[in-house]
Amino acid sequence: MLRLYNSLTRRKQVFEPDDGETARVYSCGPTVYDFAHIGNLRTFTFNDILCRYLSFKGFEVKQVMNITDVDDKTIAGAAAQGLSLAEYTEKYTQYFFDDIDALNIRRAWKYPQATQHISQMHEIIQKLLDNGHAYVAEGSVYYDISSFADYGKLSGVQPEELSSSTEFSRLEGDQYEREEAGDFVLWKAAKPGEPSWDSPWGSGRPGWHIECSAMSMAYLGPTLDIHTGAVDLLFPHHENEIAQSEGATGQQFCRFWVHGEHLIVEGQKMSKSLGNFFTLRDLLEGQFLHPTRPAGAGLLAPGHPPPTAHRPLPPATQLHYGGAPAERADRRAAQYLH
Ligand SMILES: [Zn+2]
């Protein structure tokens, strides 16, 4: 019997695929704008262990992991390097596959790219418009969160006075904080110098959240068995995926939400924005990983804390970082990974 902690119900539940045979698993994949840091890779390792265990339990596993190759970050990164979006994202997509191969992560069934699924995104956006969950404003399309009574059921975020008469501010960015919950963008009107695609609402590009609704349902159908991702995606990304998918189909989007905890560095999550990160390359080049020892086991070493905790790992398992960038792969990191 396999029990999984389900972030949706906030308790452990016995897992069985809906059809008893095939586990349909969707995992939020990399945004290919930079090297993954080992906190990201810990999440991919956790996905891998989960899928391998499902196979071991005798289920067929269909795992889909998206490649986000168009969003705010990839567009900014390509512009900064003077490359086309495709040239830029291909480079980092290859690095992603190099990293997961180095970690002996089993390949997913499919790795769909967002830029190859624009028409599926259009279909969902059109359904949301038809169902009264979205509206057009100045060439962009927004999700009206007041139209979806279940908004907040995953994250517990309850926007003030969520009712059909409430107007929320419109959010342009893909990422925002819980306190800023508002109408998020499904389709962004084209801006000069940015890549764009034709659509029924004018040329533009997709918002980040719609990408995962489109690619998961395209390959796995309207209801997933398991959706995985790092815990920082729970809000707004996963909350918005539910609103989009259920608003379009009227069916439950996902039965089990399983989140991986952050890798903690001195009390803070490892992140690009904080600059407190190691890449796999830092560790391999510093020869801090034993060539025959699976690095993935090291990444999982702290164990998986109770997902309800949403708190730092106990001090004994923390990865400490105190040096200058050149000293990142220091002895403490080596201890942690061995
Ligand atoms: Zn996603």
Side-chain angles (χ1 to χ4, degrees), residues 25-286:
V25 181
Y26 184 82
S27 303
C28 284
T31 299
V32 282
Y33 76 108
D34 200 347
F35 293 108
H37 63 61
I38 60 171
N40 305 136
L41 293 170
R42 181 175 192 265
T43 304
F44 300 135
T45 305
F46 135 74
N47 291 332
D48 182 45
I49 300 290
L50 174 64
C51 289
R52 284 177 189 257
Y53 192 70
L54 291 167
S55 299
F56 168 75
K57 296 296 277 184
F59 302 126
E60 187 189 344
V61 179
K62 282 192 171 173
Q63 184 197 14
V64 174
M65 179 180 282
N66 66 297
I67 304 284
T68 297
D69 59 354
V70 54
D71 78 325
D72 296 347
K73 290 176 183 169
T74 47
I75 289 172
Q81 291 191 12
L83 297 173
S84 72
L85 185 65
E87 287 168 337
Y88 177 77
T89 57
E90 270 170 30
K91 186 171 69 166
Y92 287 106
T93 302
Q94 190 53 53
Y95 290 141
F96 163 73
F97 284 116
D98 291 347
D99 282 352
I100 64 168
D101 288 348
L103 289 167
N104 194 29
I105 287 174
R106 198 166 69 170
R107 293 282 178 113
W109 174 52
K110 302 265 184 208
Y111 288 98
Q113 293 169 285
T115 52
Q116 305 304 311
H117 295 78
I118 302 288
S119 64
Q120 289 89 340
M121 296 175 209
H122 288 170
E123 282 174 31
I124 297 174
I125 294 170
Q126 189 58 57
K127 277 188 194 155
L128 291 172
L129 285 163
D130 295 344
N131 294 348
H133 290 300
Y135 59 92
V136 179
E138 293 156 15
S140 294
V141 187
Y142 295 87
Y143 194 100
D144 173 7
I145 61 169
S146 71
S147 72
F148 187 66
D150 279 344
Y151 196 83
K153 72 177 174 181
L154 175 67
S155 62
V157 168
Q158 287 301 335
E160 292 279 306
E161 300 168 22
L162 189 67
S163 75
S164 56
S165 59
T166 312
E167 279 196 18
F168 287 95
S169 57
R170 286 183 218 142
L171 303 169
E172 299 293 333
D174 287 328
Q175 281 164 321
Y176 48 89
E177 302 299 321
R178 297 166 69 93
E179 309 73 53
E180 300 171 273
D183 291 350
F184 59 91
V185 68
L186 299 165
W187 186 256
K188 301 189 188 199
K191 289 187 186 151
E194 287 193 353
S196 60
W197 288 261
D198 288 337
S199 86
W201 319 286
S203 72
R205 64 177 172 97
W208 172 42
H209 311 293
I210 195 69
E211 298 182 7
C212 282
S213 285
M215 289 185 276
S216 56
M217 294 199 288
Y219 294 97
L220 298 170
T223 303
L224 312 173
D225 286 308
I226 302 175
H227 194 312
T228 70
V231 71
D232 57 339
L233 298 185
L234 199 147
F235 185 85
H237 186 52
H238 293 162
E239 192 70 61
N240 291 351
E241 282 187 42
I242 292 174
Q244 293 164 158
S245 305
E246 298 189 359
T249 68
Q251 299 177 52
Q252 183 178 22
F253 175 48
C254 178
R255 300 170 56 237
F256 283 75
W257 287 87
V258 183
H259 289 98
E261 287 289 330
H262 294 137
L263 196 56
I264 300 297
V265 187
E266 296 193 331
Q268 292 182 297
K269 75 166 181 170
M270 180 175 284
S271 74
K272 295 269 167 56
S273 55
L274 292 172
N276 59 353
F277 63 92
F278 302 92
T279 67
L280 190 58
R281 284 164 177 73
D282 290 331
L283 301 176
L284 291 170
E285 285 165 13

